[in-house]
Amino acid sequence: MIDRLAVFVLTYHNHTKEQLERCLWSIEQQDGVDFEPFIVVNSTDETYYPKVKEWFRGGAPVYPDDDYTIVETESDGYTGKGTNSVHDYYKTISGFSHMCIIDGDDYYYPMAFDLLNQIHEKSNFDFLSGMAHHVDSLRPAPPPDNRPIIPY
């Protein structure tokens, strides 16, 4: 079981407030796992971090009393450094058994964290990439050409 999940919303200068709200809203709708969202601003645009702080200093889109931890990280303008900065930040915090990263313009389906927990119970993973492939193996359905599903 995933004891506590750190969810990092990785955002760059081109994500709008509406995109981030949709992403955060999708996180707030999750069930089945104890989690805490973080907003990680990784941008070469020096005006973007203050914008994000302004947008979300009043709290979460669904639960206004919840405050987000908003972190600014060093950026070289490429996504790889942003992802690495999240890994580095995760090493500095405690109280979490797992982490996941989502881009600020993406969103989770309502059952994503519950399925993540189911996957962990079956495989006790340390690292999971391409979750959609694993999710398919939990909810078998024949592929379009009726080939058998082979779990990953």
Side-chain angles (χ1 to χ4, degrees):
M1 175 171 226
I2 295 174
D3 295 322
R4 190 140 196 259
L5 182 65
V7 183
F8 295 99
V9 177
L10 188 54
T11 184
Y12 310 96
H13 66 275
N14 59 343
H15 294 151
T16 65
K17 179 182 179 187
E18 291 75 22
Q19 288 173 318
L20 290 172
E21 284 177 335
R22 181 185 66 176
C23 180
L24 293 164
W25 181 85
S26 78
I27 294 167
E28 292 171 7
Q29 302 307 304
Q30 297 300 313
D31 210 4
V33 173
D34 183 24
F35 63 89
E36 181 177 340
F38 296 81
I39 300 172
V40 179
V41 178
N42 183 260
S43 177
T44 55
D45 178 356
E46 293 179 8
T47 66
Y48 189 62
Y49 177 67
K51 280 184 199 174
V52 172
K53 285 183 71 167
E54 177 70 24
W55 292 342
F56 297 105
R57 87 170 158 214
V62 176
Y63 305 105
D65 294 336
D66 291 349
D67 284 327
Y68 290 120
T69 301
I70 302 173
V71 180
E72 183 178 29
T73 60
E74 184 182 340
S75 177
D76 62 0
Y78 297 97
T79 57
K81 187 152 190 168
T83 302
N84 291 340
S85 70
V86 169
H87 289 263
D88 292 341
Y89 182 75
Y90 181 70
K91 292 177 194 175
T92 68
I93 60 175
S94 61
F96 298 94
S97 60
H98 293 79
M99 65 169 277
C100 63
I101 301 171
I102 184 170
D103 282 338
D105 60 347
D106 293 335
Y107 60 91
Y108 289 117
Y109 287 107
M111 71 296 203
F113 289 3
D114 185 46
L115 290 175
L116 188 64
N117 205 28
Q118 290 178 43
I119 293 166
H120 185 265
E121 287 177 0
K122 289 178 183 259
S123 65
N124 195 25
F125 62 82
D126 287 327
F127 177 80
L128 179 64
S129 180
M131 186 171 113
H133 298 292
H134 295 275
V135 171
D136 289 343
S137 69
L138 284 176
R139 295 180 179 239
D145 61 1
N146 292 320
R147 288 175 293 141
I149 294 177
I150 301 170
Y152 295 92

